[in-house]
Each structure stands twice: as structure tokens, then as C-alpha cells.
Amino acid sequence: MNLSSPLDSLLDILGTEGTQCFLTFAQPNIQQYHHDITESLKQKNWDAAAAMAHRFKATAHLYSTATLQNLLDDIIAKQIDILQHPEFCQQLLLEFQYIETNIDSFLKKTTLINP
Amino acid sequence: MSSIHAPHLYRVVLIDDDILLHKLLEMYLFEHHYQLQSLSCGEEIRDFISQQTPDLILLDIMLPGKDGLHWLNWLKHNYPNIPVMLLSAKKSAEERLIGLEFGADDYLTKPFHPKELLIRIRKIMRHPTLANKHVTYQIGSNLFNPAHEHLERNNQLIKLTTQESSLLQFFCQRPDEILTRDCISQALNGNEHQPLNRSIDMTINRLRKKLGDHASNPRYLCTVWRKGYRLTLAP
């Protein structure tokens, strides 16, 4: 089975079944993080966005891209000039969509094998 | 006939408000014979620890309510023998030094790889003093050695049974606290105290004798009317 590289760390740690179980649990939480971080940035609530990015980063490094982790670092560091740039939220959206698609695709494949 | 022994599960408590980290570590550590129990804030530790003694506590610094450093200080004051590993998203050297000064046994910066956590946990568990191998307690003129299950008083060794030693160690880890029979039974036997079961009271009586305590007016293992018992280490 050809698996996406951002999930390799997680697969190495938990194995395929464990990863399936963890990501099934994590999927709605990741979507919630995406929503809450974006909303906080829109409302210019830098502290709330930084706190959420901090928490999300504790596990996100195992299933997300280096680009998303760099964006989270900018949020944590409260780099306001970067965070206010119109492209920042757009890039954040794309990165979240990328990992969500990856997770979705992984879960669909593994559910067929381990229903 | 062959018998299969389940591997011993070490009890690790994670105090952190990140549910994804809880889930990830619960699954990963279980594969390596560690049973992870999760608390979302430090305030929950008082109740938890009065019921059972974990082998290790993983304590996040940034917690809702009082922060992890407050709870580290509290734990090291009340339960000095339980190893604590601090977890923090901050890389501040000052915070790390404060944590280590307060008695943290290790410190791990988030985000961390679960394998690194496992290596550090194993290292802590192997450490002889932290594994409770050389811990002794002074109870008045008695020196209690849980590893060897004996008391030493006036250069005399007084042998304890395993049950007496376990019970006395449970008290020693919670000096001056009132421990109910329910809480003692939960910790030692994993079940609630049955009112007609006098085994705890009988073990207490035997311990009083071995400690050189007075049965009617004990100095160390005192009865707290309608509540339970309390150990005073230095009356």
C-alpha cells in the first residue's frame, strides 16, 4: 500500500491499526483546531491562536507537513506582521486541507483492509 | 500445565489538557507495558493520588488553573518518592532550571517524539532511588525499609509481613493524611473496604506493636474516629 509520507512517523510509532485508531479519534479534533485557530487569527486574538497552536503542535509534528509546523511556529511566536498578511491564512488553509485529505485518504484505504 | 503471566503494567499519570496527546501516548505506552491514566488539570491529582500511587507522573507546565510548577512543588512536598517528568512547550532555560530545582526528575520539551519519552521513562524507572529500592522512612525511633520489609529500632531488626510493609509504605507516602479504610483497601487490594472485614484493623494493630507504639494511645498510627487512620512520622 502506498502511504503518504506525512503519516510515516505515526505509522512507525503506532503501526497501521494503531494509526487508524488514533487518526479516527484525532480527525474531528484536527478540524476543530483548524477552525479555532483560523477564527482567532481573523479576530486578531493572537494569544488564543498562539495557545491553540502550541497545543496542536504537540502531536501535529507526527502527521503534518514541515510547512504547517512553520506556520504554527509563526502563530506561537505571535509574528503579527506575518499573521496579518492575507496570504498567511490562505496558506494555513491549504496546509490543513492537505493533511485532512491525507488522513481521509489513509482512513478510507485502511478501513477497506481493516474494517 | 503451563500458565501465562500478564506482563506487569507500570502506572503512569499524564497531567495535560491536550486530548490528542493523551490518546497518542495512551496507545503507544500501552504497547510497552505502561498504563497511562490521564488528568486534565493539576487540581485532579489530590483525589487521584489518595486512591492509588502511580509509578511516574508526566506533568505539563502550562495547565488550566494552577500551573505545573505549583503541582510539582506540591507533589515533591507530599509524595517525594514518586518521580515526576515535566513537559513543556517552552524552551526557556529558566523554566527548566526552576523545574529541576523544585525536584523534577526529568524535563522534556514539546513537541517530543514518543520514543524519546519512552527512553526517558525507562531510564527513570531503572534509577535505583526512584524505583523505591533504597528508600527508607524514619518513624520516631524506627527506620522502615520497604524493600527489605523490615523495621530497625535500637539496632534490632523487626521483620514485617508483605501486607504490613505495603500498608506502612502507603502511610509513609502520605504522612499526616487521614486515610480511610476504603482508600487503603483500594490502594492495596484494588477493591472497596467491606465493613465486616477486619484485616486492615488487625494489620494496623500488629504494626503498632512492631513500631513499639501503645495500643490504647498510639503516637504513630493514630485512629481518627469514624474516618480512618493517620501516620505521624515524628510525634
Side-chain angles (χ1 to χ4, degrees):
Chain A
M1 188 165 51
N2 184 23
L3 297 167
S4 315
S5 59
L7 299 179
D8 283 352
S9 294
L10 203 55
L11 283 161
D12 179 44
I13 295 163
L14 297 178
T16 305
E17 261 185 72
T19 301
Q20 182 188 9
C21 175
F22 174 74
L23 289 177
T24 305
F25 175 84
Q27 202 175 29
N29 291 283
I30 295 168
Q31 287 162 356
Q32 191 65 47
Y33 270 120
H34 177 194
H35 174 266
D36 293 349
I37 291 172
T38 308
E39 279 305 302
S40 297
L41 290 175
K42 278 183 192 164
Q43 290 165 18
K44 300 187 178 177
N45 188 346
W46 314 122
D47 288 337
M52 275 181 273
H54 247 310
R55 195 181 300 164
F56 180 52
K57 210 182 159 206
T59 51
H61 69 110
L62 298 170
Y63 49 81
S64 72
T65 58
T67 313
L68 180 61
Q69 286 164 56
N70 291 336
L71 295 172
L72 292 172
D73 283 337
D74 289 336
I75 299 170
I76 292 164
K78 300 179 203 169
Q79 304 265 28
I80 296 172
D81 50 335
I82 296 173
L83 304 185
Q84 284 183 310
H85 197 282
E87 277 182 19
F88 186 86
C89 274
Q90 186 57 30
Q91 187 155 16
L92 191 67
L93 170 72
L94 289 174
E95 287 302 317
F96 263 108
Q97 279 178 343
Y98 178 70
I99 63 161
E100 284 168 24
T101 307
N102 256 325
I103 291 170
D104 210 34
S105 157
F106 171 82
L107 289 177
K108 276 179 186 156
K109 281 179 197 166
T110 51
T111 308
L112 286 174
I113 299 162
N114 306 310
Chain B
M1 195 176 83
S2 65
S3 63
I4 299 167
H5 296 280
H8 173 71
L9 281 178
Y10 290 100
R11 286 180 297 184
V12 177
V13 176
L14 170 66
I15 310 174
D16 193 305
D17 59 341
D18 180 352
I19 56 168
L20 291 185
L21 188 65
H22 281 191
K23 184 70 178 173
L24 177 79
L25 296 183
E26 182 190 19
M27 293 175 66
Y28 178 68
L29 292 178
F30 187 76
E31 290 296 315
H32 299 275
H33 314 305
Y34 293 91
Q35 185 182 44
L36 191 80
Q37 287 170 289
S38 301
L39 306 178
S40 58
C41 65
E43 280 72 10
E44 293 174 21
I45 191 70
R46 285 175 194 270
D47 278 349
F48 180 88
I49 218 163
S50 69
Q51 301 291 327
Q52 47 189 304
T53 307
D55 295 299
L56 172 71
I57 295 175
L58 305 173
L59 178 62
D60 189 29
I61 291 186
M62 285 173 68
L63 287 171
K66 287 179 175 145
D67 72 7
L69 291 175
H70 168 89
W71 292 109
L72 171 65
N73 200 20
W74 183 84
L75 282 163
K76 287 298 168 185
H77 184 73
N78 292 287
Y79 302 93
N81 299 316
I82 301 176
V84 180
M85 189 191 299
L86 279 179
L87 308 175
S88 174
K90 288 182 182 170
K91 289 176 185 169
S92 140
E94 194 185 343
E95 194 180 64
R96 185 186 163 96
L97 286 174
I98 293 171
L100 293 172
E101 257 181 350
F102 276 15
D105 299 284
D106 203 352
Y107 189 107
L108 194 54
T109 305
K110 287 182 185 177
F112 53 81
H113 196 291
K115 280 184 183 173
E116 185 183 355
L117 175 71
L118 181 65
I119 291 165
R120 286 171 183 256
I121 288 177
R122 284 176 172 160
K123 200 173 167 191
I124 287 181
M125 295 300 195
R126 277 202 305 268
H127 197 283
T129 52
L130 295 172
N132 286 334
K133 284 183 181 163
H134 296 299
V135 174
T136 53
Y137 300 93
Q138 183 86 40
I139 309 167
S141 54
N142 298 278
L143 198 63
F144 168 45
N145 185 327
H148 293 103
E149 298 185 342
H150 67 226
L151 292 167
E152 194 179 332
R153 188 171 68 249
N154 302 330
N155 295 321
Q156 255 198 324
L157 282 185
I158 302 153
K159 188 75 190 141
L160 301 176
T161 64
T162 300
Q163 191 183 9
E164 289 162 357
S165 181
S166 302
L167 181 57
L168 191 55
Q169 186 174 16
F170 188 61
F171 273 103
C172 286
Q173 287 165 340
R174 295 151 184 85
D176 301 320
E177 263 183 59
I178 299 171
L179 302 179
T180 63
R181 289 175 181 81
D182 265 344
C183 149
I184 294 167
S185 185
Q186 279 286 359
L188 299 187
N189 312 317
N191 52 33
E192 274 185 25
H193 172 65
Q194 302 300 315
L196 295 176
N197 186 339
R198 304 277 301 153
S199 70
I200 291 173
D201 304 305
M202 288 163 69
T203 311
I204 293 273
N205 285 339
R206 286 199 307 274
L207 277 172
R208 281 175 178 156
K209 277 184 195 165
K210 291 185 176 180
L211 285 164
D213 219 348
H214 305 288
S216 54
N217 186 22
R219 290 167 299 163
Y220 310 121
L221 277 169
C222 303
T223 306
V224 182
W225 178 244
R226 289 193 164 181
K227 288 187 176 172
Y229 295 101
R230 178 172 50 209
L231 175 72
T232 306
L233 293 171

